[in-house]
Amino acid sequence: LAKQICESFNVEYRMTTAIADWSTYETIGGYKMNKDSSLYFDEGIFLSCFKDSKNEIKNEWLIIDEMNRADIDKAFGVFFSALTGDNINLSFKGNNDKNVELINERNITSIKNIEPHQYLIPKDWRMIGTINTSDKASLFEMSYAFMRRFAFIPVPIPKKIDESMVEKYLNNWKIVNNTIGDLSLASGLTVIWKIINKYKPIGPAILRDIASYVETENDWASAIILYVLPQFEGIEGSLLQNFVQELESSEIKAFSDQKHIINYFIEDFFAISF
């Protein structure tokens, strides 16, 4: 969805995944050593969005996947102020021995030339972060100072899941809606998605993994083992048993034919016995 937002505005973008080890060195930049042992300023992920190797202005939107996997306050540092529209002077020296500057376009009337130590943040530049709400309690917390610099847009699981909607997903993913067994791929995915969401609500990302696997392997049971059951970590054994029974009694005959495979995985992975 974040990629499609950028594509709908016809802007260049880059995508990166946040990690716990991020500091301002990775995001803003820091000193690196040349072969002659001299130091130079090496720009980080953020600053590289604003200027190319020829020192020309560019506007490359930034998508940060799994944003709350980073320690936000440590990783973003002085960029907090830049996100609110302020101009910032960094302590690092650029290649012209002047302090690195972050300049917001909204604060100036015009700018003809960017010096090597300057980075212009276009007023229509955007940073788009993604987070999973199920992870927000187990990963780094985001400070209120950080959160107020963003608009939070919830992307819920579709309330009404039907075959026509799944067909649209398959078309968007460029996955062919072939017949698998006695059902079309879209019909089978619709059945599975509804059953899964009774026990563990999931979005379309995992459904896409299932669809890609079943399209090539024609194997519903293995798709459930590979992509769905690991998501059930921590669920009660009785609910797992109910889940499997619902699969077995569904329109997808493969589940009743291969129930021993699913049961074997559950007994081994979850250390429970049916």
Side-chain angles (χ1 to χ4, degrees):
L1 180 59
K3 290 178 181 178
Q4 289 189 2
I5 289 171
C6 296
E7 289 165 4
S8 71
F9 281 96
N10 196 29
V11 295
E12 296 293 325
Y13 67 91
R14 68 167 57 191
M15 187 169 182
T16 187
T17 302
I19 59 174
D21 291 338
W22 264 9
S23 66
T24 52
Y25 183 85
E26 286 78 23
T27 57
I28 304 299
Y31 289 125
K32 274 190 175 181
M33 187 176 292
N34 281 308
K35 292 181 180 179
D36 62 0
S37 298
S38 62
L39 296 176
Y40 70 96
F41 177 73
D42 184 45
E43 61 192 26
I45 297 167
F46 295 158
L47 298 194
S48 63
C49 293
F50 309 127
K51 192 163 59 173
D52 62 20
S53 58
K54 297 179 181 179
N55 201 50
E56 294 181 354
I57 298 170
K58 70 175 181 177
N59 185 1
E60 191 174 59
W61 290 19
L62 180 63
I63 300 173
I64 303 180
D65 194 22
E66 308 286 357
M67 183 180 276
N68 53 334
R69 292 192 178 277
D71 187 340
I72 297 296
D73 290 349
K74 179 181 75 172
F76 282 61
V78 295
F79 206 65
F80 269 31
S81 298
L83 289 175
T84 57
D86 295 329
N87 294 342
I88 305 297
N89 283 321
L90 303 182
S91 58
F92 300 105
K93 297 287 186 182
N95 295 335
N96 56 356
D97 206 33
K98 295 181 180 179
N99 281 37
V100 174
E101 285 184 76
L102 306 184
I103 303 172
N104 269 279
E105 187 180 14
R106 67 188 71 180
N107 296 332
I108 58 176
T109 55
S110 66
I111 186 164
K112 295 181 179 179
N113 297 308
I114 284 288
E115 294 189 44
H117 70 287
Q118 294 176 320
Y119 292 83
L120 180 71
I121 304 176
K123 57 186 175 184
D124 61 343
W125 179 76
R126 295 293 181 267
M127 177 162 57
I128 305 173
T130 69
I131 65 172
N132 292 313
T133 52
S134 58
D135 288 335
K136 69 177 183 287
S138 59
L139 299 173
F140 288 107
E141 294 184 359
M142 292 180 288
S143 66
Y144 288 109
F146 177 79
M147 289 192 291
R148 74 177 180 84
R149 287 161 167 81
F150 286 83
F152 279 74
I153 304 171
V155 184
I157 294 168
K159 291 182 179 180
K160 183 182 179 182
I161 296 171
D162 56 31
E163 190 169 340
S164 63
M165 184 188 68
V166 174
E167 286 176 354
K168 292 177 182 177
Y169 275 117
L170 291 176
N171 183 59
N172 188 56
W173 297 331
K174 296 179 174 57
I175 296 176
V176 180
N177 186 22
N178 289 324
T179 299
I180 313 294
D182 297 330
L183 297 173
S184 68
L185 180 58
S187 180
L189 290 169
T190 304
V191 170
I192 288 175
W193 202 1
K194 288 180 177 179
I195 294 174
I196 293 170
N197 280 359
K198 292 180 182 179
Y199 302 90
K200 175 82 174 188
I202 64 167
I206 292 177
L207 196 76
R208 181 178 185 173
D209 294 332
I210 298 171
S212 298
Y213 186 87
V214 174
E215 180 194 28
T216 56
E217 301 296 333
N218 292 344
D219 186 350
W220 289 103
S222 293
I224 292 295
I225 289 171
L226 289 169
Y227 302 110
V228 178
L229 289 177
Q231 302 290 326
F232 283 16
E233 184 71 50
I235 198 172
E236 292 181 13
S238 59
L239 294 178
L240 267 173
Q241 191 167 11
N242 292 341
F243 171 69
V244 173
Q245 288 174 348
E246 281 207 57
L247 291 178
E248 291 173 7
S249 60
S250 71
E251 300 97 309
I252 303 175
K253 295 180 180 179
F255 290 129
S256 58
D257 295 338
Q258 296 181 283
K259 63 181 181 181
H260 61 286
I261 298 175
I262 297 176
N263 289 345
Y264 178 82
F265 175 84
I266 290 174
E267 290 179 348
D268 183 55
F269 190 84
F270 297 98
I272 61 173
S273 178
F274 282 124

